[in-house]
């Protein structure tokens, strides 16, 4: 099928306005030289119109596939699309080191753009996941020429997502490392591995010590994986020039953010949104029922991104400024029966934070706790509590799933409300305070909120984990710790007749690396120590999950 027809059909499918620029001219493998001499391979999709703005996409995932379609869609809509492979990927020279070179290479590419005869002085950027990190690395230094940004499931800082709760996002990091390595192996060999269910990756996720897991998964040592195992403490200097959160307030370009409730970077992306709002910016935020790799996310990102670029990159373009209905600053999808899309003036909306307390006999209720004995379970890192669904890199394993299988394990405590007499709508940040007493000083506290439907199926809504070390939280006179747990934010409607459920466990492996219970270093730990822990819920230790309630008919 001719490329021009494919582009036209894609525009129709995305419900985009008709194109006006005519044929697209494509030039591939242009050499863009960085300041240290490394050549960055770049494709240019040129529109027929004159004085067209430019959209830059910098990526470590190659320049084919969906990016070719995006390049043509942009050019067909009167944009110069410049798609560049990050160094060490897609034919570009040098060695890929995540986040290290993106600022300088981005600035060098911008200098190259300024020297092109077709440069109009107007720049937009578009990026999904790592492509978005590359945007944030450049954005504060791009000057007034940067007129718009499209940031899809991404954030300015990856450190906190890598070490969520000060544990280690093992599944995400190792899966990403394997994915990047897979780009260097023959296509047929990769297809065979995928068809077999990636047994090497599965074995690596179970392997100890973690310092060998990259070799188990790929057959080679992956430098950044080794570095991330070593430099995991909050004070590690390694991350200072690899996060760009402190530069976000300096960004003046309009930003649209698209993400999903089960995305791995959701909390960090919402932090960026809050930073922009505090700096006086007016970003647009779209949050849907998506995971990191959802097809629906890809479609929404294209539709929102292209519309945003249409709106902000046409000040001098002869293609003309399209008509666009005024869009709400925040558009989000409320999950659960009776939910759906909502438009809001800001994030988070006003809400009443309500404590749902843990009670004896597995009860969850808003009434105050009563004198009671603690509940107890034993966590064994040799048989770690498994993770199930939720925010994962691989779409087919992510998102909401029925949790009954894991809830039946003896190392998972559940607390369930009575059936709701009316709907309860929760929108905003979710947190928990869990009082724990443990015979081991090194433990993890995992909390998950679920919706139990009328058939008894338990669907995960959001969750979070915190790694406890002896110096991190003080103990009270009874030896108990109060552990604050930040769960993923959410927008969810619990229907009448449904029940709320809270899980408490000692881990969620391999989404988070198992806690060996010994305090050994993350990468070299091999000794596994099981231990008992108690969850307290008496008046002196009011364990609870705190929900931002928008509407309650309970």
């Amino acid at each position: 099928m001719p490329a021009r027809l494919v582009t036209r059909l894609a525009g129709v499918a995305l419900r985009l306005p008709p194109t006006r620029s005519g044929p697209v001219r494509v030039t591939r493998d242009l050499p863009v030289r960085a300041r240290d001499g490394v050549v960055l391979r770049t494709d240019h999709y040129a529109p027929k119109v004159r004085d067209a703005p430019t959209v830059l996409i910098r990526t470590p995932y190659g320049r084919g596939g969906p990016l070719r379609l995006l390049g043509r869609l942009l050019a067909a809509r009167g944009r110069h699309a410049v798609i560049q492979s990050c160094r060490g990927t897609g034919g570009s020279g040098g060695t890929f080191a995540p986040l290290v070179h993106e600022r300088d290479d981005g600035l060098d590419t911008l200098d190259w753009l300024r020297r092109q005869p077709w440069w109009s002085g107007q720049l937009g950027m578009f990026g999904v996941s790592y492509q978005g990190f590359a945007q944030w690395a450049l954005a504060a230094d791009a000057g007034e020429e940067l007129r718009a940004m499209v940031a899809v499931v991404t954030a300015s800082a990856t450190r906190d997502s890598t070490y969520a709760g000060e544990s280690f996002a093992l599944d995400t990091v190792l899966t990403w490392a394997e994915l990047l390595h897979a780009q260097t192996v023959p296509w047929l060999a990769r297809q065979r591995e995928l068809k077999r269910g990636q047994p090497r990756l599965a074995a690596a996720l179970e392997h100890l010590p973690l310092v060998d897991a990259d070799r188990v998964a790929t057959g080679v040592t992956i430098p950044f994986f080794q570095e991330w195992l070593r430099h995991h403490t909050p004070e590690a200097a390694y991350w200072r020039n690899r996060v760009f959160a402190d530069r976000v307030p300096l960004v003046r370009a309009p930003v649209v953010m698209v993400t999903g409730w089960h995305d791995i970077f959701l909390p960090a992306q919402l932090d960026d949104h809050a930073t922009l709002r505090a700096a006086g910016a007016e970003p647009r935020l779209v949050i849907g029922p998506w995971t990191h790799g959802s097809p629906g996310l890809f479609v929404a990102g294209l539709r929102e991104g292209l519309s945003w670029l249409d709106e902000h990159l046409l000040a001098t373009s002869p293609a003309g400024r399209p008509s666009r209905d005024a869009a709400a600053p925040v558009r989000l999808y409320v999950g659960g029966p009776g939910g759906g899309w909502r438009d809001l003036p800001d994030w988070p909306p006003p809400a009443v934070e309500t404590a749902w307390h843990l009670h004896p006999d597995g009860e969850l209720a808003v009434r105050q706790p009563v004198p009671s004995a603690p509940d107890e379970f034993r966590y064994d890192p040799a048989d770690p509590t498994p993770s199930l669904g939720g925010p994962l890199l691989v779409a087919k394993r992510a998102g909401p799933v029925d949790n009954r299988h894991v809830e039946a394990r003896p190392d998972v405590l559940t607390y369930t409300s009575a059936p709701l007499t009316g709907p309860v709508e929760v929108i905003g940040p979710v947190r928990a305070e869990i009082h724990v007493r443990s015979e081991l000083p090194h433990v993890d506290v995992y909390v998950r909120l679920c919706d139990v439907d009328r058939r008894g199926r338990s669907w995960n809504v959001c969750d979070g984990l915190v790694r406890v070390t002896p110096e991190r939280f003080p103990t009270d006179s009874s030896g108990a710790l109060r552990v604050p747990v930040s769960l993923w934010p959410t927008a969810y409607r619990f229907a009448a007749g449904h029940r709320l459920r809270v899980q408490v466990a000692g881990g969620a492996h391999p989404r988070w690396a198992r806690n060996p219970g010994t305090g050994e270093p993350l990468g070299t730990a091999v000794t596994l120590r099981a231990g008992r822990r108690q969850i307290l819920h008496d008046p002196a230790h009011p364990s609870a999950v705190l929900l931002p309630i928008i509407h309650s008919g309970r």
Side-chain angles (χ1 to χ4, degrees):
M1 185 180 296
R4 188 172 181 182
L5 178 57
V6 171
T7 305
R8 185 177 302 165
L9 292 175
V12 171
L14 292 168
R15 301 195 298 274
L16 300 173
T19 59
R20 303 179 182 180
S21 67
V24 173
R25 186 178 69 256
V26 183
T27 308
R28 304 197 189 281
D29 290 322
L30 289 166
V32 176
R33 193 171 298 277
R35 66 191 66 185
D36 60 357
V38 166
V39 172
L40 305 174
R41 292 295 171 183
T42 305
D43 295 344
H44 176 211
Y45 296 77
K48 190 175 181 179
V49 297
R50 299 179 58 189
D51 299 324
T54 298
V55 177
L56 173 64
I57 302 168
R58 304 193 63 253
T59 178
Y61 304 123
R63 303 186 304 280
L67 284 181
R68 288 190 178 183
L69 173 61
L70 178 55
R72 289 188 173 276
L73 282 170
L74 287 165
R77 308 186 65 71
R79 316 283 177 275
H80 290 279
V82 175
I83 303 177
Q84 182 180 86
S85 289
C86 298
R87 68 168 59 206
T89 71
S92 290
T95 301
F96 180 64
L99 308 170
V100 175
H101 302 286
E102 307 310 348
R103 178 183 177 274
D104 289 348
D105 287 353
L107 287 172
D108 293 345
T109 301
L110 181 54
D111 285 342
W112 176 83
L113 287 171
R114 291 174 178 137
R115 296 193 300 271
Q116 304 312 302
W118 39 264
W119 172 251
S120 71
Q122 295 183 87
L123 176 68
M125 294 194 293
F126 192 114
V128 179
S129 193
Y130 190 91
Q131 301 161 5
F133 305 146
Q135 288 186 71
W136 286 116
L138 172 62
D141 299 305
E144 294 183 359
E145 292 164 312
L146 180 59
R147 304 293 179 85
M149 290 175 58
V150 180
V152 183
V153 288
T154 190
S156 65
T158 60
R159 192 264 163 202
D160 290 345
S161 298
T162 302
Y163 308 106
E166 296 307 324
S167 182
F168 182 61
L170 175 62
D171 190 293
T172 290
V173 175
L174 189 57
T175 300
W176 189 59
E178 192 274 342
L179 173 66
L180 289 170
H181 175 74
Q183 297 179 163
T184 68
V185 304
W187 182 86
L188 188 58
R190 177 60 176 168
Q191 298 312 303
R192 283 198 297 264
E193 182 71 6
L194 291 172
K195 188 173 183 180
R196 294 171 60 214
Q198 296 181 274
R200 292 192 300 171
L201 177 59
L205 290 169
E206 298 294 331
H207 184 81
L208 289 176
L210 291 180
V211 72
D212 296 328
D214 53 350
R215 289 188 289 275
V216 174
T218 67
V220 300
T221 297
I222 298 176
F224 81 81
F225 182 78
Q226 298 293 321
E227 292 166 356
W228 292 5
L229 289 175
R230 289 195 303 271
H231 302 291
H232 60 87
T233 58
E235 63 275 7
Y238 171 89
W239 288 95
R240 289 176 190 164
N241 66 342
R242 290 171 169 83
V243 298
F244 313 106
D246 61 340
R247 308 285 287 165
V248 171
L250 304 178
V251 175
R252 293 293 174 259
V255 182
V256 61
M257 300 177 170
V258 183
T259 185
W261 294 120
H262 293 276
D263 180 58
I264 54 180
F265 300 119
L266 174 64
Q269 189 156 10
L270 291 178
D271 286 344
D272 287 340
H273 180 268
T275 299
L276 288 171
R277 293 291 292 125
E282 297 181 354
R284 174 163 162 82
L285 175 65
V286 179
I287 316 177
W290 306 309
T291 66
H292 195 74
S294 296
L297 171 73
F298 175 74
V299 172
L302 278 179
R303 185 180 298 137
E304 288 286 338
L306 292 174
S307 296
W308 192 255
L309 295 171
D310 278 352
E311 182 176 357
H312 295 283
L313 280 183
L314 289 171
T316 62
S317 172
R321 191 180 185 88
S323 61
R324 172 177 167 159
D325 294 335
V330 177
R331 183 166 174 78
L332 55 81
Y333 187 86
V334 178
W341 287 100
R342 308 280 177 84
D343 289 332
L344 301 175
D346 207 349
W347 171 268
V352 177
E353 187 177 68
T354 304
W356 287 71
H357 289 100
L358 279 54
H359 285 273
D361 301 318
E363 184 184 8
L364 183 71
V366 293
R367 70 175 186 276
Q368 292 297 308
V370 297
S372 56
D375 297 316
E376 188 173 291
F377 68 94
R378 181 176 183 271
Y379 177 79
D380 183 358
D383 179 24
T385 313
S387 55
L388 199 63
L392 296 171
L393 189 64
V394 179
K396 66 181 180 182
R397 294 192 287 112
V401 295
D402 187 349
N403 281 242
R404 285 178 293 180
H405 173 71
V406 74
E407 289 172 353
R409 289 177 58 104
D411 55 0
V412 178
L413 299 178
T414 60
Y415 300 86
T416 308
S417 74
L420 299 173
T421 57
V424 172
E425 196 163 283
V426 176
I427 302 179
V430 179
R431 63 190 182 96
E433 293 183 354
I434 306 298
H435 294 259
V436 183
R437 188 184 295 128
S438 172
E439 63 181 330
L440 301 178
H442 295 273
V443 297
D444 288 347
V445 177
Y446 173 73
V447 180
R448 168 169 274 189
L449 174 67
C450 294
D451 175 16
V452 182
D453 64 21
R454 292 175 181 269
R455 294 172 52 186
R457 297 173 299 181
S458 181
W459 302 99
N460 51 293
V461 174
C462 58
D463 55 19
L465 178 143
V466 167
R467 178 148 292 190
V468 176
T469 57
E471 69 281 357
R472 190 170 183 192
F473 303 107
T475 58
D476 66 13
S477 58
S478 72
L481 306 167
R482 183 186 67 84
V483 181
V485 183
S486 294
L487 282 67
W488 255 236
T490 194
Y492 197 87
R493 188 176 190 270
F494 295 86
H498 287 216
R499 293 173 290 160
L500 282 68
R501 176 170 292 167
V502 170
Q503 300 175 14
V504 180
H509 181 267
R511 181 175 159 200
W512 280 277
R514 75 188 91 195
N515 192 324
T518 60
E520 292 180 276
L522 176 65
T524 57
V526 291
T527 303
L528 302 179
R529 186 179 176 192
R532 305 199 74 81
R533 60 208 62 177
Q534 295 178 331
I535 304 301
L536 294 81
H537 39 60
D538 57 73
H541 306 94
S543 292
V545 60
L546 295 103
L547 304 180
I549 304 293
I550 301 296
H551 169 78
S552 177
R554 66 174 187 275

